[in-house]
Short mmCIF file of all heavy atoms in Angstrom, two decimals:
data_model
loop_
_atom_site.label_atom_id
_atom_site.label_comp_id
_atom_site.label_asym_id
_atom_site.label_seq_id
_atom_site.Cartn_x
_atom_site.Cartn_y
_atom_site.Cartn_z
N GLU A 343 -90.55 195.75 91.72
CA GLU A 343 -90.25 194.30 91.83
C GLU A 343 -88.94 193.95 91.13
O GLU A 343 -88.19 193.10 91.60
CB GLU A 343 -91.36 193.44 91.17
CG GLU A 343 -92.71 193.49 91.86
CD GLU A 343 -93.42 194.84 91.64
OE1 GLU A 343 -93.23 195.46 90.56
OE2 GLU A 343 -94.13 195.26 92.57
N GLU A 344 -88.63 194.65 90.06
CA GLU A 344 -87.45 194.33 89.30
C GLU A 344 -86.19 195.03 89.89
O GLU A 344 -85.10 194.45 89.87
CB GLU A 344 -87.60 194.68 87.84
CG GLU A 344 -88.60 193.81 87.10
CD GLU A 344 -88.71 194.20 85.63
OE1 GLU A 344 -87.72 194.61 85.02
OE2 GLU A 344 -89.86 194.12 85.10
N VAL A 345 -86.36 196.19 90.41
CA VAL A 345 -85.23 196.97 90.86
C VAL A 345 -84.77 196.60 92.29
O VAL A 345 -83.59 196.48 92.59
CB VAL A 345 -85.48 198.53 90.77
CG1 VAL A 345 -84.33 199.34 91.39
CG2 VAL A 345 -85.66 198.93 89.30
N THR A 346 -85.78 196.41 93.19
CA THR A 346 -85.42 196.14 94.58
C THR A 346 -84.44 195.02 94.79
O THR A 346 -83.45 195.20 95.47
CB THR A 346 -86.71 195.94 95.43
OG1 THR A 346 -87.53 197.11 95.22
CG2 THR A 346 -86.46 195.80 96.90
N PRO A 347 -84.62 193.85 94.14
CA PRO A 347 -83.64 192.75 94.35
C PRO A 347 -82.24 193.10 93.85
O PRO A 347 -81.25 192.53 94.34
CB PRO A 347 -84.22 191.58 93.53
CG PRO A 347 -85.54 191.99 93.06
CD PRO A 347 -85.71 193.44 93.23
N LEU A 348 -82.15 194.05 92.92
CA LEU A 348 -80.81 194.41 92.36
C LEU A 348 -79.98 195.14 93.41
O LEU A 348 -78.75 195.13 93.32
CB LEU A 348 -80.95 195.31 91.12
CG LEU A 348 -81.65 194.69 89.89
CD1 LEU A 348 -81.69 195.75 88.79
CD2 LEU A 348 -80.88 193.44 89.41
N LEU A 349 -80.64 195.77 94.38
CA LEU A 349 -79.92 196.57 95.35
C LEU A 349 -78.90 195.73 96.10
O LEU A 349 -77.89 196.23 96.49
CB LEU A 349 -80.85 197.27 96.34
CG LEU A 349 -81.79 198.33 95.67
CD1 LEU A 349 -82.82 198.81 96.71
CD2 LEU A 349 -80.96 199.50 95.14
N ARG A 350 -79.19 194.44 96.25
CA ARG A 350 -78.28 193.54 96.97
C ARG A 350 -76.95 193.38 96.20
O ARG A 350 -75.97 193.03 96.81
CB ARG A 350 -78.93 192.15 97.17
CG ARG A 350 -79.65 192.07 98.50
CD ARG A 350 -80.30 190.71 98.65
NE ARG A 350 -81.67 190.78 98.17
CZ ARG A 350 -82.28 189.92 97.38
NH1 ARG A 350 -81.63 188.91 96.95
NH2 ARG A 350 -83.50 190.06 97.02
N GLU A 351 -77.02 193.62 94.92
CA GLU A 351 -75.79 193.39 94.10
C GLU A 351 -74.99 194.68 93.94
O GLU A 351 -73.97 194.71 93.32
CB GLU A 351 -76.22 192.95 92.65
CG GLU A 351 -77.06 191.76 92.60
CD GLU A 351 -77.73 191.57 91.19
OE1 GLU A 351 -77.27 192.24 90.25
OE2 GLU A 351 -78.61 190.73 91.13
N ILE A 352 -75.54 195.77 94.47
CA ILE A 352 -74.92 197.06 94.23
C ILE A 352 -74.13 197.58 95.37
O ILE A 352 -74.56 197.61 96.50
CB ILE A 352 -76.01 198.12 93.89
CG1 ILE A 352 -76.75 197.73 92.64
CG2 ILE A 352 -75.39 199.51 93.68
CD1 ILE A 352 -77.85 198.69 92.19
N GLU A 353 -72.92 197.97 95.08
CA GLU A 353 -72.12 198.69 96.05
C GLU A 353 -71.78 200.04 95.41
O GLU A 353 -71.15 200.09 94.33
CB GLU A 353 -70.81 197.95 96.36
CG GLU A 353 -70.53 197.92 97.79
CD GLU A 353 -69.35 197.06 98.10
OE1 GLU A 353 -69.45 195.82 98.10
OE2 GLU A 353 -68.27 197.67 98.26
N GLU A 354 -72.29 201.10 95.98
CA GLU A 354 -72.06 202.42 95.42
C GLU A 354 -71.26 203.26 96.37
O GLU A 354 -71.45 203.17 97.56
CB GLU A 354 -73.40 203.08 95.07
CG GLU A 354 -73.28 203.88 93.81
CD GLU A 354 -74.62 204.46 93.35
OE1 GLU A 354 -75.63 204.46 94.07
OE2 GLU A 354 -74.61 205.03 92.27
N GLU A 355 -70.39 204.08 95.79
CA GLU A 355 -69.48 204.82 96.66
C GLU A 355 -69.15 206.15 95.98
O GLU A 355 -69.06 206.25 94.78
CB GLU A 355 -68.17 204.00 96.79
CG GLU A 355 -67.31 204.40 97.92
CD GLU A 355 -65.93 203.76 97.78
OE1 GLU A 355 -65.79 202.72 97.13
OE2 GLU A 355 -64.98 204.34 98.31
N ILE A 356 -69.01 207.18 96.79
CA ILE A 356 -68.56 208.46 96.29
C ILE A 356 -67.14 208.62 96.69
O ILE A 356 -66.78 208.39 97.88
CB ILE A 356 -69.42 209.61 96.91
CG1 ILE A 356 -70.81 209.67 96.20
CG2 ILE A 356 -68.72 210.97 96.77
CD1 ILE A 356 -71.67 210.78 96.77
N ARG A 357 -66.29 209.03 95.71
CA ARG A 357 -64.89 209.36 96.07
C ARG A 357 -64.61 210.73 95.51
O ARG A 357 -65.10 211.06 94.42
CB ARG A 357 -63.91 208.35 95.43
CG ARG A 357 -63.93 207.02 96.13
CD ARG A 357 -62.83 206.12 95.59
NE ARG A 357 -63.29 204.76 95.53
CZ ARG A 357 -62.84 203.81 94.73
NH1 ARG A 357 -61.82 204.10 93.91
NH2 ARG A 357 -63.32 202.56 94.78
N PHE A 358 -63.80 211.49 96.22
CA PHE A 358 -63.43 212.82 95.71
C PHE A 358 -62.01 212.76 95.08
O PHE A 358 -61.07 212.43 95.80
CB PHE A 358 -63.50 213.85 96.83
CG PHE A 358 -64.92 214.01 97.32
CD1 PHE A 358 -65.43 213.30 98.36
CD2 PHE A 358 -65.80 214.86 96.63
CE1 PHE A 358 -66.79 213.42 98.74
CE2 PHE A 358 -67.13 215.01 97.00
CZ PHE A 358 -67.63 214.27 98.06
N ILE A 359 -61.97 213.01 93.80
CA ILE A 359 -60.65 212.96 93.11
C ILE A 359 -60.35 214.36 92.60
O ILE A 359 -61.15 214.95 91.89
CB ILE A 359 -60.68 211.95 91.95
CG1 ILE A 359 -61.09 210.59 92.50
CG2 ILE A 359 -59.35 211.93 91.20
CD1 ILE A 359 -61.30 209.49 91.44
N ASP A 360 -59.25 214.94 93.10
CA ASP A 360 -58.94 216.37 92.82
C ASP A 360 -60.11 217.25 93.13
O ASP A 360 -60.46 218.17 92.33
CB ASP A 360 -58.54 216.54 91.34
CG ASP A 360 -57.23 215.81 90.99
OD1 ASP A 360 -56.41 215.66 91.91
OD2 ASP A 360 -57.09 215.37 89.84
N GLY A 361 -60.79 217.00 94.22
CA GLY A 361 -61.88 217.83 94.68
C GLY A 361 -63.18 217.61 93.91
O GLY A 361 -64.19 218.19 94.24
N GLU A 362 -63.17 216.72 92.93
CA GLU A 362 -64.40 216.46 92.14
C GLU A 362 -65.02 215.12 92.61
O GLU A 362 -64.31 214.14 92.79
CB GLU A 362 -64.06 216.35 90.67
CG GLU A 362 -63.95 217.65 89.94
CD GLU A 362 -65.22 218.45 89.91
OE1 GLU A 362 -66.28 217.92 89.53
OE2 GLU A 362 -65.19 219.64 90.30
N GLN A 363 -66.32 215.12 92.68
CA GLN A 363 -67.02 213.88 93.03
C GLN A 363 -67.04 212.85 91.92
O GLN A 363 -67.34 213.18 90.76
CB GLN A 363 -68.45 214.24 93.43
CG GLN A 363 -69.37 213.03 93.61
CD GLN A 363 -70.79 213.39 93.92
OE1 GLN A 363 -71.05 214.21 94.79
NE2 GLN A 363 -71.73 212.84 93.21
N HIS A 364 -66.64 211.66 92.27
CA HIS A 364 -66.79 210.55 91.30
C HIS A 364 -67.68 209.48 91.91
O HIS A 364 -67.63 209.28 93.08
CB HIS A 364 -65.43 209.91 90.97
CG HIS A 364 -64.57 210.80 90.09
ND1 HIS A 364 -64.19 210.44 88.82
CD2 HIS A 364 -64.04 212.04 90.33
CE1 HIS A 364 -63.48 211.43 88.28
NE2 HIS A 364 -63.37 212.39 89.19
N VAL A 365 -68.50 208.90 91.07
CA VAL A 365 -69.37 207.80 91.59
C VAL A 365 -68.82 206.47 91.11
O VAL A 365 -68.59 206.24 89.93
CB VAL A 365 -70.79 207.98 91.10
CG1 VAL A 365 -71.69 206.80 91.50
CG2 VAL A 365 -71.38 209.27 91.65
N PHE A 366 -68.65 205.56 92.07
CA PHE A 366 -68.19 204.21 91.75
C PHE A 366 -69.27 203.21 91.98
O PHE A 366 -69.93 203.18 93.02
CB PHE A 366 -66.94 203.88 92.62
CG PHE A 366 -65.71 204.53 92.18
CD1 PHE A 366 -65.45 205.85 92.48
CD2 PHE A 366 -64.75 203.85 91.40
CE1 PHE A 366 -64.32 206.52 92.03
CE2 PHE A 366 -63.59 204.49 90.95
CZ PHE A 366 -63.40 205.83 91.26
N LEU A 367 -69.51 202.41 90.94
CA LEU A 367 -70.58 201.42 91.00
C LEU A 367 -69.86 200.07 90.95
O LEU A 367 -69.18 199.75 89.93
CB LEU A 367 -71.49 201.60 89.78
CG LEU A 367 -72.72 200.74 89.62
CD1 LEU A 367 -73.69 200.94 90.72
CD2 LEU A 367 -73.36 201.03 88.28
N ASN A 368 -69.92 199.33 92.02
CA ASN A 368 -69.18 198.09 92.13
C ASN A 368 -67.76 198.24 91.65
O ASN A 368 -67.22 197.42 90.85
CB ASN A 368 -69.89 196.95 91.35
CG ASN A 368 -71.25 196.64 91.99
OD1 ASN A 368 -71.46 196.81 93.20
ND2 ASN A 368 -72.16 196.11 91.22
N GLY A 369 -67.13 199.27 92.09
CA GLY A 369 -65.71 199.50 91.80
C GLY A 369 -65.41 200.20 90.49
O GLY A 369 -64.27 200.58 90.23
N GLU A 370 -66.41 200.42 89.67
CA GLU A 370 -66.19 201.04 88.34
C GLU A 370 -66.60 202.55 88.39
O GLU A 370 -67.69 202.88 88.88
CB GLU A 370 -67.08 200.39 87.28
CG GLU A 370 -67.03 200.99 85.92
CD GLU A 370 -68.11 200.44 84.99
OE1 GLU A 370 -68.85 199.47 85.38
OE2 GLU A 370 -68.25 200.95 83.89
N ASP A 371 -65.73 203.41 87.91
CA ASP A 371 -66.03 204.81 87.91
C ASP A 371 -67.04 205.09 86.77
O ASP A 371 -66.69 205.02 85.59
CB ASP A 371 -64.75 205.62 87.69
CG ASP A 371 -65.03 207.14 87.79
OD1 ASP A 371 -66.20 207.54 87.84
OD2 ASP A 371 -64.01 207.90 87.91
N VAL A 372 -68.24 205.36 87.15
CA VAL A 372 -69.32 205.56 86.13
C VAL A 372 -69.71 207.04 85.96
O VAL A 372 -70.75 207.35 85.35
CB VAL A 372 -70.58 204.70 86.46
CG1 VAL A 372 -70.33 203.21 86.39
CG2 VAL A 372 -71.15 205.07 87.83
N SER A 373 -68.90 207.90 86.50
CA SER A 373 -69.23 209.33 86.55
C SER A 373 -69.60 209.89 85.17
O SER A 373 -70.47 210.76 85.09
CB SER A 373 -68.07 210.13 87.13
OG SER A 373 -67.63 209.54 88.29
N GLY A 374 -68.90 209.44 84.15
CA GLY A 374 -69.23 209.97 82.77
C GLY A 374 -70.47 209.27 82.19
O GLY A 374 -71.24 209.88 81.46
N LEU A 375 -70.65 208.02 82.51
CA LEU A 375 -71.73 207.24 81.87
C LEU A 375 -73.11 207.59 82.36
O LEU A 375 -74.13 207.20 81.72
CB LEU A 375 -71.50 205.74 82.15
CG LEU A 375 -70.18 205.17 81.64
CD1 LEU A 375 -69.99 203.70 82.12
CD2 LEU A 375 -70.20 205.15 80.07
N ILE A 376 -73.19 208.24 83.52
CA ILE A 376 -74.52 208.51 84.09
C ILE A 376 -75.15 209.83 83.63
O ILE A 376 -76.21 210.19 84.12
CB ILE A 376 -74.46 208.52 85.69
CG1 ILE A 376 -73.44 209.53 86.17
CG2 ILE A 376 -74.15 207.11 86.19
CD1 ILE A 376 -73.38 209.68 87.69
N ARG A 377 -74.55 210.49 82.68
CA ARG A 377 -75.03 211.82 82.28
C ARG A 377 -75.89 211.78 81.03
O ARG A 377 -76.15 212.82 80.48
CB ARG A 377 -73.88 212.78 82.07
CG ARG A 377 -73.09 213.00 83.41
CD ARG A 377 -73.92 213.79 84.38
NE ARG A 377 -73.44 213.58 85.74
CZ ARG A 377 -74.15 213.90 86.83
NH1 ARG A 377 -75.34 214.40 86.73
NH2 ARG A 377 -73.66 213.71 88.04
N THR A 378 -76.33 210.65 80.60
CA THR A 378 -77.14 210.55 79.39
C THR A 378 -78.64 210.85 79.72
O THR A 378 -79.05 210.73 80.87
CB THR A 378 -77.10 209.18 78.71
OG1 THR A 378 -77.66 208.24 79.61
CG2 THR A 378 -75.64 208.76 78.38
N GLU A 379 -79.38 211.15 78.67
CA GLU A 379 -80.85 211.38 78.89
C GLU A 379 -81.54 210.10 79.35
O GLU A 379 -82.45 210.15 80.19
CB GLU A 379 -81.48 211.86 77.59
CG GLU A 379 -81.09 213.28 77.21
CD GLU A 379 -81.41 214.32 78.29
OE1 GLU A 379 -82.59 214.59 78.47
OE2 GLU A 379 -80.45 214.82 78.92
N GLU A 380 -81.07 209.00 78.80
CA GLU A 380 -81.66 207.69 79.18
C GLU A 380 -81.48 207.46 80.66
O GLU A 380 -82.36 207.02 81.38
CB GLU A 380 -81.00 206.60 78.35
CG GLU A 380 -81.73 205.27 78.38
CD GLU A 380 -80.93 204.16 77.76
OE1 GLU A 380 -79.73 204.36 77.43
OE2 GLU A 380 -81.52 203.05 77.57
N VAL A 381 -80.27 207.71 81.15
CA VAL A 381 -79.98 207.49 82.58
C VAL A 381 -80.73 208.55 83.43
O VAL A 381 -81.20 208.20 84.53
CB VAL A 381 -78.47 207.46 82.90
CG1 VAL A 381 -78.24 207.35 84.41
CG2 VAL A 381 -77.79 206.28 82.19
N SER A 382 -80.94 209.75 82.94
CA SER A 382 -81.68 210.76 83.71
C SER A 382 -83.06 210.28 84.04
O SER A 382 -83.59 210.38 85.12
CB SER A 382 -81.84 212.10 82.87
OG SER A 382 -80.61 212.65 82.60
N LYS A 383 -83.68 209.71 82.95
CA LYS A 383 -85.08 209.23 83.11
C LYS A 383 -85.10 208.01 84.05
O LYS A 383 -85.96 207.92 84.92
CB LYS A 383 -85.60 208.83 81.71
CG LYS A 383 -86.95 208.18 81.68
CD LYS A 383 -88.03 209.20 81.92
CE LYS A 383 -89.42 208.68 81.78
NZ LYS A 383 -89.84 207.62 82.69
N ALA A 384 -84.10 207.11 83.88
CA ALA A 384 -84.03 205.92 84.71
C ALA A 384 -83.81 206.31 86.19
O ALA A 384 -84.40 205.72 87.13
CB ALA A 384 -82.89 205.00 84.28
#
Side-chain angles (χ1 to χ4, degrees):
E343 294 72 32
E344 291 180 35
V345 173
T346 305
L348 296 179
L349 295 173
R350 265 179 269 133
E351 305 167 11
I352 298 179
E353 224 176 281
E354 215 175 8
E355 197 193 336
I356 283 181
R357 286 187 218 157
F358 295 92
I359 303 174
D360 295 330
E362 278 297 308
Q363 170 181 311
H364 287 245
V365 173
F366 285 79
L367 184 63
N368 294 335
E370 175 191 355
D371 186 348
V372 294
S373 312
L375 299 172
I376 56 175
R377 296 293 157 195
T378 64
E379 289 304 289
E380 194 190 9
V381 175
S382 300
K383 174 75 174 62

